[in-house]
Amino acid sequence: MKDYVKPVVLATEEASEGVYTASGVEASDCWTVSVRKDQDDAGGYCTFRVEARHGDSAEHISVKTVVTILFDQTVTDAKFEGFGAEASGNVVTLTRESHANAYKSGDNFNSLLQIWSPEYKTIGVVSAGITCTKEVNVQGGF
């Protein structure tokens, strides 16, 4: 599998059956991520704190991380401290390219995400996940 695309969950009251989305979901074996609301009303946008941690025992270089956040409302725009943010419907994707220093380093980030939404005062996070693109480290491990 070259690039993993996390499924998007859509809920409709008219539907009579559900699909278990955890099947086939590729979880990061080296990163953890959490997203929580930081400020409800900031002049037309809402602020969330995104905390991610690369495990201290991970023996590889992380050259790209992608955080995917599913919100319960539509997001019209997003800005993130430090690297790229893209909003599409109720999904925000944060992409951190070419950051090749995560070898056993506990490479963490704790940054603010600003989102614009017609419902910015009541918007909430449904789920968040993170993936890691790895390269061989200088010692030859992966």
Side-chain angles (χ1 to χ4, degrees):
M1 180 181 324
K2 256 188 174 184
D3 291 321
Y4 172 75
V5 178
K6 186 173 182 174
V8 175
V9 177
L10 300 175
T12 58
E13 292 183 18
E14 304 84 39
S16 61
E17 74 182 67
V19 177
Y20 181 60
T21 59
S23 59
V25 171
E26 184 177 305
S28 176
D29 59 348
C30 56
W31 282 91
T32 58
V33 65
S34 68
V35 181
R36 64 179 162 71
K37 193 175 266 190
D38 195 64
Q39 186 175 4
D40 289 338
D41 183 0
Y45 64 89
C46 185
T47 305
F48 287 83
R49 179 152 308 273
V50 179
E51 296 178 79
R53 177 173 172 76
H54 192 257
D56 291 333
S57 63
E59 295 188 15
H60 63 269
I61 294 173
S62 178
V63 295
K64 178 180 178 182
T65 55
V66 178
V67 177
T68 306
I69 307 164
L70 177 64
F71 289 93
D72 61 359
Q73 307 281 339
T74 300
V75 177
T76 56
D77 195 14
K79 292 184 182 174
F80 190 62
E81 295 177 334
F83 48 100
E86 181 181 322
S88 178
N90 60 344
V91 176
V92 172
T93 305
L94 310 174
T95 304
R96 184 183 191 195
E97 300 271 0
S98 299
H99 190 73
N101 69 350
Y103 177 74
K104 284 191 173 184
S105 67
D107 179 33
N108 310 322
F109 60 88
N110 181 342
S111 302
L112 294 177
L113 167 66
Q114 297 172 318
I115 58 120
W116 283 259
S117 170
E119 304 298 327
Y120 68 92
K121 290 184 180 183
T122 60
I123 195 167
V125 174
V126 174
S127 64
I130 189 167
T131 59
C132 175
T133 302
K134 303 169 185 171
E135 279 193 2
V136 176
N137 64 41
V138 294
Q139 288 80 21
F142 188 70

